[in-house]
């Protein structure tokens, strides 16, 4: 038998974050991407409820979704801030807009999302305040603001829907634009992260709502999203497996390589298949209704981002 | 060549001459105050073949100053940019947020995090080239294995090397059009 060609490459470079293995992004970036997707899901759900006239059917999602989105967005931005090596330069993101840099337009989307979500969040607060009889809400300025916003409910919903979709896709495009990392170099990561974000947003609302009707509706919708997410994950892996040498090596990380166990057990198994089974059996009234499946969807969404961000750094083009 | 770029400075390393002594890496550290534990230049060794017919190549490596630089495209603030006078890729520390998008997009892993927080890399010693001096790595090299110069100037040493010898680029599949060549 002919001996295989031997190739070994070594370098005297020993730069932190780069050698011996690349690790420039730690836990902060997947956490940021997770909260970004979650916020996108909450905003899209609120906007969809508003635009389809389902506010009564989805009381929690339509009223508290945008309200919840703001602190969650804050947590995501805080994680991103922690990742920056030059924290005092954080405002440099807003000195320019570079269309070829997803991180540039993404940072602008984050600001726009925060501003756009304020209006429906304020409306939720006013509705709650009226119910509880908060006197300060009766002041003319606040009443005028409330009247102004009430006349623009549809426009605000459209705005939040657009920005929610943009935010969800951006969290995936941020990775897929980095062609030097074959694991990430797939445009399907945009729609994949959007669907995953929508799924986690629905799971959070289904967990927190007191309305059984809303929970049942959201759980059924989430089952569809889980199926779409599984389809996108399959397409992503298929795309890598049928690509060039670097892409095939990237696919091998999940098909027998070091990320196989964590990907198939935590992301696909615990994060998608188990919750799908739990919710389906609850719908069929075979098993009791629990919130375990919803919690697993959230954990699975987080794990998807942890695994992909970490695996992407495991190999570059040409090894 | 990107619009507005006057020169197209590049670097070539002669594989027949480089002995991997690391003098270039140390000279670069000294000239550019590269902090302890970091390197802008390093020595790369590649051994390939079927035993006992093995071939070893040694070369000094750094940022490739790519013409289609992904680090410049991915930088959200414009800190990573193409210098109009030299066509080299440079970093404005005062604009850098340390987001590491450039490190993520560089196929050559040529960048590192400076302890001050910004992302740093080889500048091709343009501060010396502007005054007619050689780059630190080039001037210290005991075997004259490094050539730095204008790729558009047919009389420059680097242009002659590229014209007369077989020249390779690292990871051509990345499509970044590197201006760092290995010549045989």
């Amino acid at each position: 038998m002919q001996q295989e060609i031997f190739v070994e490459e070594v370098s005297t470079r020993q730069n932190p974050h780069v050698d011996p293995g690349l690790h420039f992004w730690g836990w902060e970036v997947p956490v940021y991407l997770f909260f970004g997707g979650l916020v996108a899901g909450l905003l899209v759900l609120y906007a969809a409820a508003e635009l389809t006239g389902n506010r009564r059917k989805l009381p929690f999602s339509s009223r508290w979704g945008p309200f919840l989105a703001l602190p969650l967005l804050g947590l995501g931005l805080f994680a991103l801030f922690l990742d920056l090596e030059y924290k005092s330069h954080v405002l440099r993101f807003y000195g320019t807009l570079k269309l070829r840099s997803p991180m540039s337009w993404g940072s602008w989307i984050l600001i726009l999302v925060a501003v756009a979500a304020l209006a429906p969040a304020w409306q939720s607060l006013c509705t709650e305040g009226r119910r509880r009889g908060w006197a300060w809400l009766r002041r003319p300025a606040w009443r005028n603001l409330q009247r102004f916003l009430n006349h623009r409910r549809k426009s605000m919903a459209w705005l939040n829907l657009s920005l929610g979709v943009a935010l969800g896709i951006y969290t995936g495009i941020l990775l897929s634009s980095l062609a030097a990392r074959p694991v990430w170099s797939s445009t399907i990561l945009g729609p994949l992260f959007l669907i995953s974000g929508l799924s986690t947003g629905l799971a959070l609302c289904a967990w927190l709502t007191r309305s059984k009707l809303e929970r049942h509706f959201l759980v059924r919708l989430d089952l569809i999203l889980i199926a779409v997410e599984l389809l996108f994950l399959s397409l992503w892996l298929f795309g890598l497996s049928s690509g060039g040498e670097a892409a095939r090596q990237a696919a091998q990380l999940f098909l027998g390589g070091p990320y196989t166990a964590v990907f198939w057990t935590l992301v696909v198994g615990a994060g998608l298949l188990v919750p799908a089974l739990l919710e389906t059996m609850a719908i069929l009234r075979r098993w009791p209704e629990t919130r375990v499946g919803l919690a697993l969807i959230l954990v699975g969404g987080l794990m998807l981002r942890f695994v992909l961000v970490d695996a992407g750094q495991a190999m570059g083009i040409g090894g | 060549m990107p619009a507005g770029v006057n020169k197209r400075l590049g670097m070539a390393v002669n594989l027949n001459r480089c002995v991997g002594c690391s003098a270039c890496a140390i000279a670069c550290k000294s000239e550019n105050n590269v902090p302890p534990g970091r390197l802008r230049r390093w020595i790369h060794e590649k051994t390939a073949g079927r035993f006992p017919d093995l071939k070893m190549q040694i070369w000094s490596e750094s940022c490739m100053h790519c013409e289609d630089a992904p680090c410049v495209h991915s930088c959200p603030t414009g800190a990573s940019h193409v210098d109009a006078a030299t066509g080299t890729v440079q970093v404005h520390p005062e604009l850098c947020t340390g987001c590491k998008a450039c490190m993520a997009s560089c196929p050559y892993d040529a960048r590192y995090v400076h302890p001050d927080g910004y992302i740093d890399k080889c500048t091709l010693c343009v501060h010396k080239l502007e005054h007619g001096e050689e780059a630190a790595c080039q001037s210290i090299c005991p075997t004259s294995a490094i050539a730095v110069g204008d790729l558009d100037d047919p009389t420059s040493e680097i242009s002659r090397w590229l014209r007369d010898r077989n020249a390779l680029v690292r990871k051509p599949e990345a499509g970044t059009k590197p201006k760092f060549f290995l010549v045989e």
Side-chain angles (χ1 to χ4, degrees):
Chain A
M1 193 179 81
Q2 198 174 26
Q3 206 180 357
E4 281 189 19
I5 290 180
F6 169 84
V7 179
E8 184 186 64
E9 296 196 40
V10 291
S11 159
T12 59
R13 190 186 58 200
Q14 286 297 324
N15 287 334
H17 301 294
V18 179
D19 303 293
L22 209 59
H23 199 73
F24 44 85
W25 283 338
W27 62 269
E28 300 91 344
V29 169
V31 166
Y32 156 64
L33 296 178
F34 170 72
F35 281 119
L38 190 57
V39 168
L42 291 172
L43 293 183
V44 169
L45 184 57
Y46 135 76
E50 184 75 41
L51 293 170
T52 56
N54 279 315
R55 263 194 291 162
R56 294 233 167 112
K57 193 176 176 183
L58 301 169
F60 184 88
S61 315
S62 60
R63 187 184 294 180
W64 293 111
F67 199 80
L68 213 52
L70 287 169
L72 292 174
L73 185 66
L75 283 175
L77 286 172
F78 184 62
L80 182 65
F81 175 73
L82 289 180
D83 175 66
L84 296 182
E85 300 288 341
Y86 215 144
K87 293 180 175 52
S88 60
H89 280 185
V90 64
L91 292 179
R92 300 288 193 274
F93 281 113
Y94 300 104
T96 184
L97 172 63
K98 283 185 67 191
L99 292 178
R100 282 194 73 174
S101 166
M103 201 178 272
S104 175
W105 47 263
S107 54
W108 283 104
I109 286 176
L110 289 166
I111 291 292
L112 293 176
V113 163
V115 173
L118 267 177
W122 169 255
Q123 281 185 310
S124 308
L125 196 69
C126 289
T127 309
E128 189 64 17
R130 273 200 306 276
R131 200 171 65 79
R132 294 179 183 228
W134 293 343
W136 60 273
L137 272 175
R138 296 197 195 102
R139 286 181 190 161
W142 299 131
R143 288 167 75 106
N144 288 342
L145 178 62
Q146 178 67 1
R147 204 172 297 125
F148 176 83
L149 293 175
N150 268 340
H151 285 126
R152 287 159 182 83
R153 291 192 86 102
K154 294 275 181 201
S155 320
M156 284 190 317
W158 277 114
L159 182 65
N160 277 281
L161 179 71
S162 316
L163 287 170
V165 170
L167 176 61
I169 290 179
Y170 148 71
T171 58
I173 296 293
L174 177 67
L175 298 182
S176 70
S177 64
L178 302 166
R181 314 292 157 202
V183 169
W184 298 338
S185 188
S186 165
T187 47
I188 207 157
L189 288 191
L192 171 66
F193 275 41
L194 172 65
I195 294 296
S196 169
L198 290 177
S199 174
T200 53
L202 259 67
L204 185 64
C205 287
W207 187 343
L208 296 176
T209 183
R210 289 180 187 163
S211 158
K212 269 196 166 184
L213 186 71
E214 182 176 19
R215 185 178 309 131
H216 290 167
F217 177 77
L218 292 178
V219 163
R220 282 170 170 77
L221 201 56
D222 221 346
L223 281 173
I224 298 170
L225 291 176
I226 287 173
V228 176
E229 197 176 332
L230 281 167
L231 175 70
F232 283 169
L233 274 173
S234 311
L235 290 173
W236 165 70
L237 263 182
F238 180 74
L240 289 182
S241 309
S242 57
E245 188 186 345
R248 288 199 303 276
Q249 284 177 6
Q252 276 305 310
L253 293 174
F254 307 95
L255 301 170
Y259 290 89
T260 308
V262 73
F263 177 74
W264 292 101
T265 55
L266 293 181
V267 178
V268 178
L272 295 170
L273 295 178
V274 173
L277 178 70
L278 288 174
E279 300 304 348
T280 306
M281 296 308 266
I283 288 168
L284 297 173
R285 298 178 192 278
R286 300 270 176 87
W287 292 351
E289 264 186 47
T290 66
R291 287 183 166 83
V292 176
L294 300 172
L296 284 175
I297 291 172
L298 289 165
V299 173
L302 183 61
M303 289 315 299
L304 169 72
R305 286 150 180 90
F306 262 103
V307 171
L308 284 195
V309 168
D310 206 61
Q313 299 172 73
M315 65 165 290
I317 287 179
Chain B
M1 194 191 311
V5 172
N6 302 327
K7 279 186 180 176
R8 213 160 60 91
L9 293 185
M11 174 179 280
V13 174
N14 191 323
L15 288 171
N16 298 326
R17 292 183 184 175
C18 181
V19 293
C21 65
S22 288
C24 52
I26 303 304
C28 168
K29 273 183 87 79
S30 175
E31 172 64 29
N32 296 295
N33 292 322
V34 178
R38 273 82 168 169
L39 285 173
R40 287 186 182 182
R41 293 196 76 78
W42 54 90
I43 300 298
H44 196 96
E45 288 182 12
K46 182 178 179 183
T47 310
R50 284 194 181 87
F51 185 82
D53 299 321
L54 296 170
K55 181 183 177 187
M56 184 192 231
Q57 288 180 314
I58 303 172
W59 65 86
S60 163
E61 192 171 284
S62 66
C63 168
M64 310 277 158
H65 295 280
C66 306
E67 283 191 65
D68 194 5
C71 53
V72 172
H73 301 319
S74 66
C75 178
T77 63
S80 283
H81 65 284
V82 175
D83 177 51
T86 61
T88 57
V89 176
Q90 304 291 342
V91 179
H92 282 308
E94 65 276 16
L95 286 179
C96 181
T97 61
C99 70
K100 293 164 281 189
C102 55
M103 292 176 73
S105 63
C106 175
Y108 307 100
D109 301 331
R111 293 170 167 245
Y112 66 88
V113 180
H114 191 281
D116 288 347
Y118 62 89
I119 308 303
D120 199 18
K121 63 168 205 71
C122 162
T123 61
L124 213 65
C125 282
V126 285
H127 63 284
K128 288 177 69 100
L129 300 178
E130 281 167 358
H131 295 98
E133 298 174 47
E134 290 186 330
C137 54
Q138 183 184 15
S139 62
I140 200 81
C141 181
T143 60
S144 300
I146 298 174
V148 177
D150 187 359
L151 296 166
D152 289 337
D153 174 5
T155 62
S156 67
E157 186 180 24
I158 187 170
S159 292
R160 278 189 278 116
W161 280 13
L162 296 182
R163 194 170 52 236
D164 300 341
R165 298 162 186 266
N166 184 31
L168 313 163
V169 293
R170 296 271 284 142
K171 303 185 181 182
E173 67 273 27
T176 59
K177 300 180 192 163
K179 295 203 296 288
F180 179 100
F181 303 90
L182 300 174
V183 298
E184 292 176 317

